[in-house]
Amino acid sequence: MLKLSEVLEDNRKFRIDAEFFAKDARSAYEALRSHRRFGDLVLSGYRVIYENTQIIPREEGAIAGLPFFLQAADIETPFIRPDGMGCVSRGDWERYPRGRIVPGEVLIEVKGLAEKVSLVPHDIPLNTLVTGTCYKMQTRDPLDARLLIAFLASRHGQALKNRLKSNLLVAFISKEDLFGMPVPDFGHDLKTEIAKLIDEAFAFDKRSTEKLSEAEGVLAATLGLESWVPPDPPTYILSFSRVFEEKRLDAEFHRPRVEALRSALSAKFPLKQLGELGAVENGQTVPYDEEGNVPIIRSGDLSNIDDESHFLRARSDSPFYRLERGDVLVSSIGFGSIGKVQVFDKAGVFGTVSEVTVVRQDVLNPYFVASFLRSQFGQIQIDRHITGATGQLHLYKRAVRKFFVPVIPLEEQEWFETLARSAAAARAQARAHLDTAKRAVDIAIVASDAAALRFLREM
């Protein structure tokens, strides 16, 4: 029950929906109502409204030296995954100078899911435009940039962001509402400790990324393809029988690079199609239930299946596709997530959806299979078989069954598992540091700076 005065307080748009007055949101607002506002931290900020901007496939854009385009799908709070970014035309680069990325900026997703936040690292490609679904800003105090990351990802920050969302079909947070959101005003000592945790989280995440990059280098060296470049002739000729066999008329599908890769690999190694190694199936669509006890891995979750906080749940008594340790998971739908590959290696009961293709086999080390599919050698096969328009991309299991993988010696396969586990350990450390920073923020909001500092000293 709320009084009319409480309904109208800090409610310039006279909202009366339940989401605005959710219990956790009101609790967060009450705890922070006397603190500063988001707008007080902003030195400069902007959200670009792009018109008729088209995303150019990364491989095509990189060859032409085009600028990159960072989308919300490339953000994994609070980290940016630049390897998946597409490209845009040079005309867009010239037309939207205020959309160019700046190291040290905070990016806040304000349209779409309106959930993600990130801090731009200094090693990101500088020829990058930022999506219009994100508000990009620089803070007056560098410590506040780190504080914002921890706060907006914390329980209180999430509640306040959810409170400000309008149009729940496609969520949106207006600049006016964002600037009016209360933000913690901690003392210098606590802000410094939180900043250290955020910086350490980024350092561990970078170490994880370096391990994955090392795996790709090891793979190329193992296959003897360090200098291999996919051929891309301006014209090529196909027999009618080949077109009829594949039932595909589009020139993109018949580019000679996949066959050139097959030829280069088969000269050195036996090749096996994934369908020959074992079962290649889709998961199963399930009804989600907040009270469910089975975590369900969706297509978008394959950016990072170590972070289970975003998994939805299903009831164990409803039909679901049960994953087994060693399953290789391939995201099979959606621009920005299609083609992502992970190895499922968790204890307990988990399921996955029909938009994820599951490769279940015990012939090759699953981490080697995943490393190969994530590399350019796997991705050119994935790209070849993607169908549909930009908004409705699909990768069917019948195509995944045709993907070929070289059979290398077992001891060499195991090295990819070692690298993957090292990367996972570093990523877990990154997540732990972020979680500690978030917890410190929540403690300080509810109790005091001193209580949060004690918590950090006792960690």
Side-chain angles (χ1 to χ4, degrees):
M1 184 72 68
L2 294 173
K3 299 177 182 177
L4 179 60
S5 59
E6 293 175 314
V7 171
L8 296 177
E9 183 179 5
D10 198 23
N11 187 6
R12 293 178 296 276
K13 296 182 178 179
F14 302 106
R15 289 179 56 176
I16 58 173
D17 51 288
E19 288 78 15
F20 188 79
F21 296 101
K23 184 177 180 180
D24 58 346
R26 282 194 54 79
S27 175
Y29 176 78
E30 288 298 325
L32 291 166
R33 62 188 301 175
S34 62
H35 287 242
R36 57 190 174 167
R37 293 301 188 257
F38 180 94
D40 298 332
L41 281 62
V42 180
L43 175 64
S44 62
Y46 198 69
R47 184 174 82 87
V48 180
I49 306 299
Y50 294 95
E51 299 177 4
N52 302 319
T53 295
Q54 294 186 341
I55 308 300
I56 299 169
R58 181 185 182 89
E59 180 183 328
E60 179 183 336
I63 292 173
L66 297 180
F68 295 106
F69 192 68
L70 188 152
Q71 301 182 88
D74 303 312
I75 296 175
E76 180 188 308
T77 301
F79 311 112
I80 293 174
R81 305 300 179 204
D83 291 347
M85 294 190 303
C87 297
V88 290
S89 69
R90 291 189 184 89
D92 284 331
W93 176 259
E94 297 298 330
R95 185 180 179 186
Y96 301 106
R98 297 184 70 178
R100 298 172 186 176
I101 206 162
V102 177
E105 282 183 324
V106 176
L107 305 181
I108 303 172
E109 186 185 23
V110 294
K111 186 178 180 181
L113 294 176
E115 292 179 350
K116 298 181 177 182
V117 296
S118 63
L119 183 66
V120 178
H122 287 272
D123 57 355
I124 194 169
L126 296 181
N127 59 331
T128 298
L129 290 178
V130 177
T131 174
T133 64
C134 287
Y135 179 76
K136 59 197 296 288
M137 60 163 290
Q138 292 178 294
T139 57
R140 302 179 187 279
D141 181 352
L143 291 179
D144 281 330
R146 277 83 176 158
L147 174 60
L148 274 178
I149 293 299
F151 168 64
L152 292 175
S154 73
R155 176 171 58 86
H156 287 85
Q158 290 278 14
L160 286 174
K161 279 192 301 176
N162 290 339
R163 181 179 193 242
L164 298 178
K165 292 179 184 178
S166 59
N167 189 0
L168 297 182
L169 187 61
V170 179
F172 179 70
I173 301 175
S174 71
K175 179 180 176 181
E176 178 187 16
D177 287 340
L178 183 65
F179 271 48
M181 181 174 66
V183 175
D185 191 10
F186 300 148
H188 180 79
D189 289 349
L190 180 55
K191 289 203 298 184
T192 299
E193 292 303 314
I194 289 172
K196 287 180 182 177
L197 285 166
I198 296 299
D199 287 341
E200 287 169 358
F202 274 86
F204 276 110
D205 187 73
K206 183 177 181 180
R207 189 179 306 173
S208 173
T209 301
E210 289 171 347
K211 287 294 181 183
L212 293 176
S213 297
E214 182 182 347
E216 185 152 359
V218 169
L219 177 66
T222 300
L223 301 179
L225 298 179
E226 303 100 311
S227 58
W228 186 79
V229 178
D232 194 19
T235 61
Y236 41 92
I237 298 174
L238 294 170
S239 65
F240 178 77
S241 60
R242 175 66 173 164
V243 173
F244 184 79
E245 177 186 351
E246 296 289 353
K247 298 182 176 61
R248 292 283 294 267
L249 292 172
D250 50 304
E252 179 71 19
F253 179 87
H254 293 286
R255 292 167 68 183
R257 54 186 185 166
V258 172
E259 294 311 316
L261 175 64
R262 188 195 305 272
S263 178
L265 288 174
S266 62
K268 302 175 183 179
F269 306 98
L271 302 183
K272 289 287 187 180
Q273 291 186 343
L274 295 182
E276 296 178 285
L277 295 176
V280 178
E281 300 293 343
N282 291 120
Q284 182 174 348
T285 300
V286 295
Y288 299 120
D289 189 323
E290 290 184 359
E291 303 301 322
N293 55 350
V294 178
I296 301 297
I297 298 176
R298 296 165 294 165
S299 178
D301 297 326
L302 293 190
S303 295
N304 177 18
I305 62 172
D306 296 326
D307 181 10
E308 300 179 15
S309 63
H310 296 291
F311 292 178
L312 297 181
R313 300 291 193 273
R315 295 174 57 89
S316 58
D317 57 1
S318 64
F320 68 95
Y321 186 99
R322 181 167 179 162
L323 292 170
E324 296 181 3
R325 300 183 86 160
D327 285 345
V328 176
L329 312 181
V330 183
S331 175
S332 299
I333 195 171
F335 187 83
S337 61
I338 195 166
K340 301 285 187 186
V341 182
Q342 294 283 0
V343 176
F344 175 78
D345 194 9
K346 296 176 179 290
V349 178
F350 288 76
T352 194
V353 295
S354 59
E355 292 82 13
V356 172
T357 302
V358 181
V359 181
R360 182 171 293 167
Q361 54 82 42
D362 57 9
V363 178
L364 300 178
N365 186 296
Y367 287 95
F368 164 66
V369 174
S371 293
F372 182 82
L373 294 178
R374 277 194 293 259
S375 73
Q376 68 160 325
F377 314 121
Q379 289 296 307
I380 64 172
Q381 296 186 66
I382 289 174
D383 290 344
R384 183 189 199 192
H385 287 278
I386 290 175
T387 60
T390 300
Q392 295 291 331
L393 299 179
H394 296 277
L395 180 65
Y396 294 105
K397 63 184 179 182
R398 63 177 179 269
V400 177
R401 290 178 181 138
K402 297 179 181 179
F403 295 168
F404 54 83
V405 180
V407 180
I408 65 174
L410 180 59
E411 61 273 15
E412 294 181 355
Q413 294 180 40
E414 291 174 346
W415 179 238
F416 295 94
E417 181 170 350
T418 299
L419 289 173
R421 292 192 182 281
S422 296
R427 179 171 283 192
Q429 285 287 341
R431 185 60 53 186
H433 280 73
L434 175 63
D435 288 344
T436 300
K438 289 158 52 178
R439 178 62 178 150
V441 166
D442 285 329
I443 290 173
I445 290 173
V446 172
S448 64
D449 284 25
L453 288 168
R454 282 197 302 273
F455 162 74
L456 293 177
R457 284 195 297 268
E458 293 169 359
M459 287 296 295

